[in-house]
Amino acid sequence: MEIRKSGPDDLARIMEIYAYARAFMASHGNPGQWGPTQWPPEALIRRDIEQGDSYVCLHEGRIVGVFYYVFGEDIEPTYRHIEDGAWLDDSPYGVVHRVAGDGSVKGIGSFCLDWAFRQCGHLRIDTHGDNVVMQGLLKKLGFAHCGTIHVEEDDDPRLAYEKRSA
């Protein structure tokens, strides 16, 4: 597998993958995270692509996964306030959002998260409390559960995770 930045020509395929991911989450006990709002909206994905923060995962030349990645200092406003815990440190960090695969290849999520971590050595991510699949993946990849954050999109709290180089 390989990772590259998304381009405008990838938009239709990316939206197909997100539709698949919504159905997958609903069938695995997590219908509320993206389903009710048809998250993520196409306008957001277009913006991610234009800003250079959208990435696709390719297997044998075909797009099989997608995610958002950005790195910097204090780059995620919803991470400024964390409840029931604390971040591991306040150094610049990478953020991954909207990780999704099309289910055709095993290990897409691991590959994408490992790639993002290799870019920066300090990564943060959050997920819905019902998303036990992602929680299991984050645990497997060595992320620490740090507390709870809240996003602007809805009132559901998110479990916040972090991983940093030793």
Side-chain angles (χ1 to χ4, degrees), residues 1-42:
M1 285 190 276
E2 64 182 285
I3 303 292
R4 70 163 168 79
K5 284 190 181 257
S6 306
D9 292 344
D10 300 325
L11 183 63
R13 178 66 180 138
I14 289 170
M15 297 313 293
E16 286 175 4
I17 291 171
Y18 283 127
Y20 173 85
R22 283 190 294 274
F24 176 87
M25 286 193 285
S27 70
H28 286 80
N30 184 19
Q33 186 170 353
W34 289 356
T37 61
Q38 297 299 295
W39 190 259
E42 186 174 313

Side-chain angles (χ1 to χ4, degrees), residues 49-50 64 69 80 99 115 117 147-148 151 154 164:
I49 292 170
E50 289 168 5
V64 296
Y69 168 77
R80 290 182 185 139
V99 179
W115 178 91
F117 184 72
T148 303
V151 297
D154 59 50
R164 63 181 177 179

